[in-house]
């Protein structure tokens, strides 16, 4: 008898970002020399002081349910949010999960019901859309492009709100575009959010990766109402501390929402790994050593960013708006559409991606996954040498 799958899983696509990365790694394992610009993760290893804290936790017997340093981690998160983001949360309003992806998943599951709407500005990070679909909700997309710096206006947000709206996803700096909202732009969106009592996820996972002079500003810090009733702040240690494999993310927000998230998580994963919590605790508490490591990584990302943008500008038919945050270059490849390369006509970003991988052995992520079919995403969280190698290949392909 054929297996009958639940509707919720039939409605979703696998994560395109993870799929591209897996495909590139599989080709590398076969001995094919692929240059990978797919993975959205720092290429640095976790700073040693954090690694040592994880090892010490494990060898010290922190191998049970309920990490020994679980409460200390929550307090460290509360202190971080206060110190760096002017967000005043109590420890009971914080839920630590297995990555920020898991934090987002919890929030969507507890707020979005069958038929409910969630507003997502495009280009969006691929999992926002699929998480809404998994909950049976309807993603309502606000389109943006280069002309607005890939940012939405308050008027666009207001127009997207309906009586069925349950949630709004806000992400600055943005994956995949690298767009960063200015404090004034965030304040203008906050007015609409307050006026319509719009529950909002502020995904601030790339907050430490901003190049140039825009200061980060946490949406939830703008008023008591936003903080206490409307905004769920999501963050984690993956990007800032090069800890993607440790799987620690967190959400902080209005008490009833966080209580519901705790209840859900208690039946899904319980707490994240105990030694991972110890590592995250060290990352957030040992400010001197962590800040030094972050500064070093940020400087490297900025150098690579400038280099990659320069090299993308040299590609015929490809254009790019300078990204100001995160570690992604979101290149517009629509100027190549209609051209034939190696006998195959490029009609979409997906075609471009396939040809880049098959003929040039360069892995990028197709914009279709981010709701933006004219673009491809290249991660510059890799060495300048590999950026040159990959961009040389793309230049030769498009010549
Ligand atoms: N939000 C955004 C915008 C991201 O790019 C990522 C990276 N995967 C996440 C959340 C989740 O990160 P993680 O689960 O590794 O903490
Ligand atoms: N956030 C990263 C990306 O967009 C990691 C992969 C994932 O979790 O989707 O590539």
């Amino acid at each position: 008898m054929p297996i009958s799958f639940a509707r919720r899983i039939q409605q979703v696509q696998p994560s395109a970002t993870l799929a591209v990365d897996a495909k590139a790694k599989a080709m590398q394992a076969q001995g094919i020399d692929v240059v990978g610009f797919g993975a959205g993760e720092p290429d640095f290893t976790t700073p040693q002081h954090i690694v040592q804290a994880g090892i010490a936790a494990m060898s010290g017997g922190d191998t049970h349910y309920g990490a020994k340093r679980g409460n200390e981690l929550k307090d460290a998160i509360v202190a971080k949010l206060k110190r760096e983001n002017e967000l005043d949360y109590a420890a009971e309003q914080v839920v630590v999960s297995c990555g920020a992806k898991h934090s987002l998943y919890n929030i969507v599951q507890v707020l979005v019901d069958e038929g409910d709407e969630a507003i997502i500005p495009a280009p969006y990070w691929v999992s926002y859309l699929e998480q809404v679909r998994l909950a049976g909700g309807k993603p309502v997309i606000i389109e943006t492009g280069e002309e607005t710096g890939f940012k939405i206006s308050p008027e666009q947000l207001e127009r997207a709100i309906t009586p069925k709206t349950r949630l709004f996803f806000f992400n600055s700096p943005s994956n995949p575009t690298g767009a960063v909202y200015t404090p004034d732009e965030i304040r203008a969106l906050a007015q609409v959010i307050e006026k319509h009592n719009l529950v909002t996820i502020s995904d601030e996972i790339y907050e430490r990766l901003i190049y140039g002079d825009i200061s980060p500003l946490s949406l939830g810090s703008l008023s008591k109402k936003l903080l206490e009733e409307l905004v769920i702040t999501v963050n984690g240690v993956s990007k800032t501390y090069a800890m993607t494999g440790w799987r620690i993310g967190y959400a902080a927000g209005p008490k009833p929402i966080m209580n519901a998230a705790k209840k859900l998580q208690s039946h899904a994963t319980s707490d994240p790994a105990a030694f991972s919590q110890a590592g995250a605790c060290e990352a957030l508490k040992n400010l001197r050593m962590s800040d030094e490591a972050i500064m070093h990584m940020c400087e490297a990302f900025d150098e690579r960013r400038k280099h990659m943008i320069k090299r993308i500008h040299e590609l015929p038919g490809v254009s790019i708006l300078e990204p100001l945050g995160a570690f992604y270059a979101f290149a517009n490849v629509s100027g190549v559409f209609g051209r034939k390369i190696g006998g195959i006509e490029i009609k979409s970003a997906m075609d471009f991606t396939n040809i880049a991988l098959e003929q040039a052995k360069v892995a990028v992520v197709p914009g279709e996954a981010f709701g933006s079919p004219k673009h491809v995403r290249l991660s510059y969280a890799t060495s300048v040498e590999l950026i040159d190698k990959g961009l040389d290949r793309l230049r030769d392909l498009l010549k």
Side-chain angles (χ1 to χ4, degrees):
M1 207 171 67
I3 298 167
S4 88
F5 285 96
R7 216 174 38 221
R8 76 179 73 84
I9 198 65
Q10 292 184 44
Q11 290 166 2
V12 302
Q13 297 296 321
S15 164
T17 44
L18 295 181
V20 166
D21 194 43
K23 194 165 173 187
K25 285 193 175 125
M27 287 171 77
Q28 282 161 351
Q30 287 168 26
I32 304 169
D33 176 24
V34 176
V35 179
F37 294 138
E41 64 170 338
D43 55 329
F44 299 102
T45 47
T46 306
Q48 264 308 309
H49 69 107
I50 299 171
V51 173
Q52 290 309 323
I55 293 171
M58 250 194 277
S59 46
D62 198 357
T63 54
H64 300 271
Y65 289 138
K68 281 185 186 166
R69 296 184 72 184
N71 287 336
E72 190 186 340
L73 174 58
K74 275 191 199 150
D75 290 342
I77 291 166
V78 167
K80 178 262 180 256
L81 292 172
K82 194 163 195 155
R83 182 178 68 240
E84 296 176 10
N85 308 90
E86 294 180 38
L87 292 167
D88 214 346
Y89 291 113
E92 62 188 13
Q93 289 175 276
V94 175
V95 177
V96 180
S97 303
C98 309
K101 189 183 275 185
H102 184 205
S103 305
L104 291 161
Y105 183 83
N106 282 344
I107 303 300
V108 177
Q109 283 293 320
V110 303
L111 292 180
V112 176
D113 236 333
E114 203 70 35
D116 288 344
E117 294 178 1
I119 300 173
I120 308 177
Y124 44 77
W125 178 46
V126 54
S127 292
Y128 295 161
L129 189 93
E130 303 298 358
Q131 290 190 356
V132 169
R133 285 193 181 140
L134 269 170
K138 180 175 165 237
V140 172
I141 306 300
I142 304 179
E143 302 287 346
T144 72
E146 279 91 349
E147 59 296 344
T148 60
F150 293 116
K151 295 188 255 189
I152 62 162
S153 66
E155 294 75 28
Q156 278 179 302
L157 178 59
E158 191 149 36
R159 277 201 301 274
I161 299 169
T162 77
K164 288 189 168 173
T165 307
R166 293 289 171 272
L167 195 56
F168 164 50
F169 285 83
F170 181 66
N171 173 220
S172 173
S174 148
N175 176 6
T177 65
V180 183
Y181 284 74
T182 65
D184 280 348
E185 288 166 341
I186 297 176
R187 283 188 199 101
L189 292 176
Q191 283 186 5
V192 178
I193 291 168
E194 279 207 33
K195 180 174 153 197
H196 293 274
N197 293 315
L198 181 60
V199 175
T200 300
I201 289 177
S202 181
D203 180 346
E204 304 181 2
I205 195 139
Y206 296 102
E207 63 169 347
R208 296 294 291 265
L209 299 173
I210 298 181
Y211 319 99
D213 7 292
I214 302 178
S215 330
L217 175 70
S218 289
L219 186 62
S221 71
L222 289 175
S223 76
K224 198 165 155 22
K225 182 171 174 183
L226 288 166
L227 183 79
E228 290 179 2
E229 296 170 35
L230 298 175
V231 175
I232 304 109
T233 306
V234 171
N235 207 327
V237 296
S238 288
K239 319 286 170 171
T240 306
Y241 306 97
M243 291 177 70
T244 48
W246 296 69
R247 311 308 304 130
I248 296 286
Y250 56 87
K255 227 183 269 176
I257 298 178
M258 301 323 295
N259 283 343
K262 275 180 213 172
K263 187 160 69 170
L264 175 67
Q265 185 166 310
S266 77
H267 291 297
T269 59
S270 309
D271 272 348
F275 57 88
S276 290
Q277 294 197 56
C281 198
E282 168 72 15
L284 289 168
K285 287 187 81 170
N286 191 338
L287 297 183
R288 189 181 57 76
M289 293 188 80
S290 290
D291 282 348
E292 202 174 294
I294 295 170
M295 215 160 62
H296 165 73
M297 290 190 273
C298 271
E299 277 170 13
F301 287 140
D302 196 19
E303 186 199 339
R304 296 154 173 201
R305 177 183 73 100
K306 290 181 186 138
H307 193 67
M308 186 174 249
I309 301 310
K310 184 171 124 257
R311 296 292 324 259
I312 289 174
H313 278 304
E314 293 165 11
L315 299 177
V318 181
S319 62
I320 177 132
L321 186 77
E322 185 187 1
L324 296 175
F327 37 59
Y328 306 106
F330 205 54
N332 189 322
V333 293
S334 61
V336 181
F337 293 176
R339 279 187 54 191
K340 265 192 176 168
I341 294 178
I344 299 167
E345 187 181 340
I346 301 187
K347 295 199 277 304
S348 63
M350 185 63 91
D351 291 344
F352 183 99
T353 303
N354 289 335
I355 285 175
L357 189 59
E358 280 153 28
Q359 299 192 19
K361 308 287 180 274
V362 175
V364 303
V365 188
E368 282 91 342
F370 309 110
S372 194
K374 291 181 178 168
H375 298 83
V376 296
R377 191 192 79 176
L378 296 87
S379 161
Y380 52 82
T382 188
S383 68
V384 170
E385 291 71 35
L386 283 172
I387 290 172
D388 270 331
K389 187 168 167 181
L391 271 290
D392 282 350
R393 289 181 183 185
L394 289 179
R395 179 199 57 205
D396 295 344
L397 180 79
L398 298 173
K399 241 195 328 229

